[in-house]
């Protein structure tokens, strides 16, 4: 019963938790691939975001450089200055000069000009002279910032509702960000702490230090030129909608004044909110489409799971196309770069307003421009990924030497660079696309192995603990029955002895024959008591290893016949036929008292377990180097399966007779121990015709052997 409880406790406290843990681990092993992909996406996205921001700043740098190197082309002597500028600066492709009234002063329309100049005029003269508008790109989040921010407010509201007041403090709301950043000393640090890490963050320092940062400024101004007169100056913020000469809306331009700080920050906030919320993206795209705005498709189709789960962001460009006239663009800054699509090809027009109202500029040389941008990128190749920039046609600007050909339009993650480089994207590709699943496989293999080890140790350890527990319990049970057996064995002879003493006392003139019989019975009972006490004492000294033998050469045949003769009268009195066969003198090196004890125990068992056919036979023989003493009876016998077990301490065969006969289960244990301590053994065999045959085997004394030979 108790054992069952232990089993239940073991299952409930050890097995069930281990199984649950294992199931959890195996389930997490199944999710390993998704987890690794998510980790990689996060890391690589942060990197392409940084790369996009570097490229965007690079474009600002190019604009600043061109602005600084642009010659002053006043009066009529501009031709030489422009041509010298072209020679000096490899970024200058075709220089041009507009009058204050937007008339093209250079290149001349005459046929004398070169092929490049003619082409330039053909493609750009309408736009430069103000007769035609050009499509410019604007961040959809800025164009629709009211809607985006309304969504943001809604999100904030629900956040505020969910969280405690203390928690809300740590979550930057739109208002707190604006307040933080409006503080003059609140630099980039404030913003980068307050807002989520998006690409816009990289450019935050420039933006937050430039109070007039307008959304719609067409100019590009590097953050490193604080002293330039271009106060209209667009911040170099790569994500700021000002980049690339793309005013987002006339209203915004019109309202640009002292209040433009929060305006700009609002735009930033709108961009961040838009980027972080696929639900907001879907709604804004839908609204833009409904209003007939021209949405653009992205050049790259990122394949990582995060993008697959937000299909709108993965396929739609974040930049929509609007139209602007040259004069509109030029009125909003001091200089800038206008990206222009000529068919499918992107060209870049640099412009810079001069003191006299003229505009000097150039078409940027494409090859030099691309080289500069490619040079800005951090190391293209790492063992994990390939990082590059895709142009408007999906062609990588730089690829690692020897990179395997692949579909460059399908990166793992990518990020649009911004208005300054419409349709261009910073993109990252996995060097080995199979690495995610390989990593996941090895991670789950480790988990499986750990689970297996856990199981084997829990099951193995548990089984060992249970086995030893059961063993202890069985021993405790046996000891309890031993104590009961000993008490019973002590009580029975004591009761008979006191009964005979009583009888002798009461009738003084008892028949002498009767008196002798009483005394003989009392002697037998005393002997039984002595035997029991001997066994118990011997057992404890054997247990403690303190039993000492005084070994000498003894004749086992003689010891056997002494034991039999000592018991004969009593046994025959009980109806036993007693036989002792010990023809030869057989010598062994043994403690005679210990040998006697073994034989008395065996004879006594023969007596106890022979209820009907009462016959005891002691035969001592010598077989080669072994002396064997057999103690046989015709009693109940020992079943074959019990013939080893009965030698274990406290073990008693559980049958009806053994249960009736008092015993301790120690006699045979002690007898075998003594036999083994003498280099021999004690075993039990069956007998034809019923009964048992206990065989005590001992090595014959060596001297005796020689004598024989
Ligand atoms: P005890 O006799 O005190 O129970 P033992 O160690 O002497 O302890 O014997 C162990 C068990 O072996 C006995 O309980 C009995 O069931 C069985 N046994 C021993 N001797 C005999 C025998 N001669 N015949 C049948 N069974 C025996």
């Amino acid at each position: 019963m108790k054992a069952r409880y232990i089993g239940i406790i073991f299952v409930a406290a050890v097995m069930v938790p281990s199984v649950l843990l294992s199931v959890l681990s195996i389930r997490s092993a199944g999710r390993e691939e998704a987890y690794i992909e998510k980790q990689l996406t996060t890391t690589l996205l942060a990197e392409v975001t940084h790369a996009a921001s570097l490229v965007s700043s690079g474009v600002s740098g190019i604009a600043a450089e061109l602005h600084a190197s642009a010659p002053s082309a006043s009066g009529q002597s501009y031709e030489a200055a422009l041509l010298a500028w072209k020679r000096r600066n490899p970024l200058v492709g075709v220089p041009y000069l507009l009058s204050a009234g937007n008339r093209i002063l250079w290149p001349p329309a005459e046929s004398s000009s070169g092929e490049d100049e003619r082409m330039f005029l053909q493609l750009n003269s309408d736009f430069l002279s103000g007769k035609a508008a050009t499509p410019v790109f604007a961040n959809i989040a800025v164009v629709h910032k009211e809607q985006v921010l309304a969504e943001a407010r809604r999100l904030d509201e629900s956040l505020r509702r969910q969280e405690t007041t203390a928690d809300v403090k740590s979550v930057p709301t739109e208002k707190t960000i604006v307040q933080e950043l409006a503080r003059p000393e609140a630099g980039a640090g404030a913003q980068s702490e307050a807002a989520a890490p998006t690409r816009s963050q990289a450019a935050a320092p420039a933006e937050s230090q430039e109070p007039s940062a307008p959304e719609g400024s067409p100019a590009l101004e590097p953050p490193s030129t604080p002293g330039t007169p271009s106060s209209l100056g667009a911040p170099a913020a790569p994500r700021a909608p000002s980049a690339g000469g793309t005013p987002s809306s006339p209203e915004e331009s019109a309202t640009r004044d002292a209040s433009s700080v929060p305006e700009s920050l609002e735009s930033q906030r709108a961009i961040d909110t838009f980027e972080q919320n696929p639900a907001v993206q879907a709604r804004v795209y839908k609204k833009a489409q409904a209003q007939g705005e021209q949405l653009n498709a992205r050049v790259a189709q990122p394949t990582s799971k995060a993008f697959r789960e937000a299909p709108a962001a993965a396929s739609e460009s974040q930049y929509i196309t609007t139209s602007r006239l040259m004069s509109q663009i030029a009125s909003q800054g001091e200089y800038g770069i206008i990206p222009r699509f000529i068919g499918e090809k992107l060209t870049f027009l640099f412009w810079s307003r001069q003191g006299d109202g003229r505009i000097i500029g150039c078409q940027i040389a494409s090859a030099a421009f691309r080289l500069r941008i490619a040079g800005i990128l951090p190391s293209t190749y790492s063992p994990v990924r390939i990082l590059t920039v895709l142009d408007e046609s999906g062609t990588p600007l730089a690829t690692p030497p020897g990179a395997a050909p692949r579909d460059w339009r399908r990166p793992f993650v990518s990020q649009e660079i911004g208005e300054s480089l419409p349709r261009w994207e910073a993109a990252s590709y996995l060097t080995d696309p199979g690495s995610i699943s390989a990593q996941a496989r090895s991670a789950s293999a480790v988990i499986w192995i750990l689970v297996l080890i856990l199981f084997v140790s829990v099951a193995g350890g548990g089984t060992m603990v249970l086995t030893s527990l059961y063993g202890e319990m069985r021993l405790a049970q046996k000891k309890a029955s031993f104590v009961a057996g000993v008490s019973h064995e002590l009580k029975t002879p004591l009761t008979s002895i006191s009964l005979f003493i009583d009888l002798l006392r009461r009738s003084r003139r008892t028949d002498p024959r009767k008196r002798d019989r009483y005394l003989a019975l009392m002697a037998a009972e005393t002997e039984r008591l002595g035997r029991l006490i001997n066994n118990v004492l011997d057992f404890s000294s054997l247990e403690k290893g303190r039993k000492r033998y005084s070994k000498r050469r003894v004749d086992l045949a003689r010891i056997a016949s002494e034991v039999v003769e000592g018991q004969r009268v009593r046994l025959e009195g009980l109806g036993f036929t007693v036989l002792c066969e010990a023809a030869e003198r057989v010598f062994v090196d043994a403690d005679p008292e210990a040998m006697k004890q073994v034989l008395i125990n065996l004879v006594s068992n023969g007596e106890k377990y022979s209820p009907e056919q009462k016959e005891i036979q002691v035969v001592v023989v010598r077989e080669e180097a072994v002396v064997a003493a057999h103690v046989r009876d015709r009693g109940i016998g020992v079943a074959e399966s019990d013939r080893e077990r009965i030698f274990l301490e406290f073990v008693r065969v559980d049958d009806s007779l053994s249960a009736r006969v008092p015993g301790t289960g120690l006699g045979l244990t002690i007898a075998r121990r003594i036999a083994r301590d003498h280099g021999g053994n004690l075993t039990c065999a069956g007998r034809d015709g019923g009964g048992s045959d206990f065989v005590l085997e001992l090595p014959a004394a060596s001297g005796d052997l020689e004598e024989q030979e």
Side-chain angles (χ1 to χ4, degrees):
M1 194 62 179
K2 268 182 189 164
R4 232 192 31 227
Y5 280 135
I6 292 173
I8 292 170
I9 289 169
F10 175 72
V11 167
V14 179
M15 285 313 274
V16 171
S18 326
V19 168
L20 284 178
L21 263 175
S22 310
V23 168
L24 280 178
S25 320
I26 289 165
R27 279 188 55 168
S28 85
R31 293 195 198 120
E32 198 62 26
E33 187 163 347
Y35 176 71
I36 293 173
E37 181 168 344
K38 200 172 162 201
Q39 294 279 70
L40 256 177
T41 305
T42 313
T43 314
L44 294 183
L45 200 57
E47 201 188 27
V48 291
T49 299
H50 176 61
S53 128
L54 283 179
V55 169
S56 209
S57 304
V59 175
S60 309
I62 289 172
E65 187 188 316
L66 284 169
H67 176 64
S69 74
S72 131
S74 52
Q76 298 303 310
S77 59
Y78 45 77
E79 182 175 345
L82 287 173
L83 290 175
W85 186 33
K86 179 177 174 173
R87 270 197 309 280
R88 238 184 15 246
N89 195 333
L91 283 167
V92 178
V94 180
Y96 67 85
L97 185 69
L98 305 183
S99 73
N102 275 3
R103 199 161 53 78
I104 299 174
L105 299 176
W106 214 89
E110 302 93 69
S111 53
S112 65
S113 53
E115 179 62 26
D116 283 353
E117 283 73 16
R118 260 209 312 282
M119 192 66 129
F120 171 80
L121 284 176
Q122 196 183 329
L123 298 174
N124 297 300
S125 61
D126 279 357
F127 167 63
L128 291 177
S129 58
K131 288 185 205 130
T134 193
V136 291
F137 289 76
N139 196 319
I140 191 167
V142 177
V143 177
H144 295 276
K145 76 175 170 203
E146 303 304 330
Q147 188 192 352
V148 173
L149 291 177
E151 300 284 352
R153 271 191 289 276
R154 255 196 14 216
L155 281 173
D156 275 353
E157 292 279 297
S158 60
L159 250 180
R160 214 170 289 138
R161 268 202 300 278
Q162 278 167 20
E163 291 176 8
T164 61
T165 330
D167 286 340
V168 169
K169 269 185 199 156
S170 66
V171 175
T173 62
E174 182 187 345
K175 209 171 151 199
T176 54
I177 292 170
V178 169
Q179 282 169 353
E180 262 303 295
L181 293 167
R183 289 202 335 253
E185 73 277 18
Q191 181 167 357
S192 47
E193 270 164 33
T198 65
R199 176 147 42 123
S200 50
Q201 291 294 301
E207 179 167 32
S208 52
Q209 277 166 16
E210 185 58 76
S212 62
E215 298 80 1
S217 168
L220 278 166
E221 190 170 86
S224 54
T225 55
T228 56
S230 56
S231 56
L232 275 181
R239 298 309 302 284
S242 55
T246 54
S248 55
S249 78
E251 303 87 76
E252 280 160 18
S253 308
T255 55
R256 199 187 323 114
D257 54 18
S259 69
S260 62
V261 172
E263 279 280 334
S264 163
L265 290 171
E266 270 200 351
S267 301
Q268 197 56 64
R269 171 87 171 142
I271 292 170
D272 292 348
T273 311
F274 184 83
E275 284 180 351
Q276 288 156 26
N277 294 290
V280 175
Q281 289 164 14
R283 276 188 218 155
V284 173
Y285 282 128
K286 213 164 147 188
K287 188 183 166 199
Q289 216 158 19
Q291 290 177 354
E293 283 167 5
Q294 191 193 330
L295 299 184
N296 295 302
R298 278 181 72 165
V299 164
Q301 302 290 307
T303 55
S304 106
K305 199 166 173 231
F307 285 89
R308 293 198 302 274
E309 280 170 358
S315 59
E316 298 282 7
S317 166
Q318 201 172 326
Y319 299 90
I320 55 173
T321 315
T322 55
S323 286
R324 289 287 174 277
L325 288 169
M326 179 68 190
S327 54
Q328 284 176 312
I329 296 170
S331 68
Q332 287 162 5
E334 198 189 350
Y335 65 89
I337 291 178
I338 307 166
R340 285 202 75 205
F341 273 100
I342 307 291
E344 280 299 296
K345 195 163 160 42
L346 195 59
T347 59
F348 301 94
L349 290 185
F350 168 73
W351 64 271
S352 164
R353 216 185 24 254
Q354 296 209 312
D356 57 3
R358 286 178 176 184
I359 286 177
I360 187 170
C362 67
Q363 178 177 303
I364 297 176
S366 171
F369 180 78
R370 292 169 76 95
L371 215 64
R372 282 286 287 273
I373 298 293
I376 291 167
L377 281 181
S379 134
T380 313
Y381 182 77
S382 88
V384 178
R385 57 89 183 120
I386 294 170
L387 177 73
T388 190
V389 168
L390 297 180
D391 69 7
E392 71 279 5
S393 64
T395 312
L397 253 60
T399 54
R406 60 173 80 220
D407 185 355
W408 293 105
R409 283 170 174 264
R410 297 188 66 76
F412 183 65
V413 292
S414 70
Q415 176 84 59
E416 293 184 272
I417 287 167
E419 292 93 332
S420 60
L421 283 171
R423 307 203 65 197
W424 285 36
E425 298 203 22
S428 194
Y429 307 79
L430 296 180
T431 307
D432 172 14
S435 68
I436 294 183
S437 43
Q439 267 184 51
R441 264 201 307 279
S442 61
S444 23
V446 168
I447 290 176
W448 272 102
I449 289 169
L450 286 179
V451 166
L452 213 78
I453 292 173
L454 173 90
F455 241 92
V456 169
S457 51
V458 166
T463 313
M464 276 162 66
V465 168
L466 280 187
T467 316
S468 81
L469 249 169
Y470 284 140
E472 289 294 319
M473 281 170 68
R474 264 206 306 274
L475 195 68
Q477 253 168 9
K478 280 188 226 154
K479 279 185 178 166
S481 84
F482 160 75
V483 171
V486 168
S487 333
H488 192 256
E489 281 224 59
L490 281 173
K491 208 175 150 197
T492 319
L494 276 178
T495 315
S496 4
I497 291 168
S498 63
L499 182 86
F500 293 129
I501 291 173
D502 225 28
L503 278 174
L504 286 173
R505 245 198 221 140
R506 252 190 266 157
S507 47
R508 288 216 174 124
R509 288 190 201 148
T510 319
D511 180 354
R513 274 189 311 164
K514 259 190 184 174
R515 202 182 59 192
D516 285 349
R517 215 171 82 77
Y518 290 164
L519 286 174
L521 285 170
M522 279 164 73
E525 292 298 325
T526 315
E527 198 181 304
R528 197 168 137 192
L529 260 181
R531 203 164 57 236
L532 172 72
I533 289 164
N534 258 352
N535 273 348
V536 173
L537 288 178
D538 265 8
F539 177 71
S540 66
S541 58
L542 281 168
E543 276 286 274
K544 290 175 189 152
R546 284 208 208 121
K547 171 91 180 166
R548 297 270 171 270
Y549 299 102
S550 50
K551 288 183 190 173
R552 55 192 163 89
R553 175 160 304 189
V554 286
D555 180 1
L556 191 63
R558 211 168 119 195
I559 293 175
S561 66
E562 272 175 25
V563 167
V564 172
E565 293 320 314
Q567 305 271 330
R568 185 183 289 279
V569 178
R570 191 177 60 82
L571 288 171
E572 285 179 348
L574 291 167
F576 276 87
T577 312
V578 185
L579 200 83
C580 182
E581 278 177 30
E584 292 174 64
R585 283 150 49 86
V586 277
F587 287 97
V588 287
D589 287 326
D591 180 336
E593 286 310 309
M595 290 303 116
K596 256 187 209 165
Q597 196 182 353
V598 172
L599 292 172
I600 289 172
N601 273 349
L602 295 178
V603 170
S604 156
N605 275 355
E607 174 200 339
K608 283 200 291 186
Y609 301 108
S610 299
E612 279 158 18
Q613 203 176 335
K614 296 175 187 277
E615 182 188 310
I616 291 174
Q617 207 182 70
V618 179
V619 180
V620 183
V621 287
R622 181 177 158 167
E623 293 149 2
E624 304 275 313
V626 175
V627 174
H630 295 260
V631 179
R632 298 170 179 144
D633 62 52
R634 289 283 176 199
I636 55 169
V638 182
E640 198 154 352
S641 55
D642 289 330
R643 281 181 196 159
E644 263 308 300
R645 218 169 60 83
I646 52 172
F647 292 99
L648 297 176
E649 57 204 31
F650 309 120
V651 169
R652 309 198 68 221
V653 173
D654 199 10
D655 57 32
S656 55
L657 179 77
S658 296
R660 263 187 284 125
V661 175
T664 56
L666 282 183
L668 290 180
T669 314
I670 292 166
R672 179 177 261 188
R673 188 86 57 90
I674 291 172
R676 290 187 173 171
D677 286 349
H678 284 80
N681 201 4
L682 177 66
T683 50
C684 169
R687 272 188 94 184
D688 290 341
S692 37
D693 180 3
F694 284 85
V695 191
L696 166 69
E697 287 175 315
L698 292 169
S702 50
D704 190 35
L705 251 184
E706 279 155 25
E707 234 171 70
Q708 291 286 313
E709 281 156 13

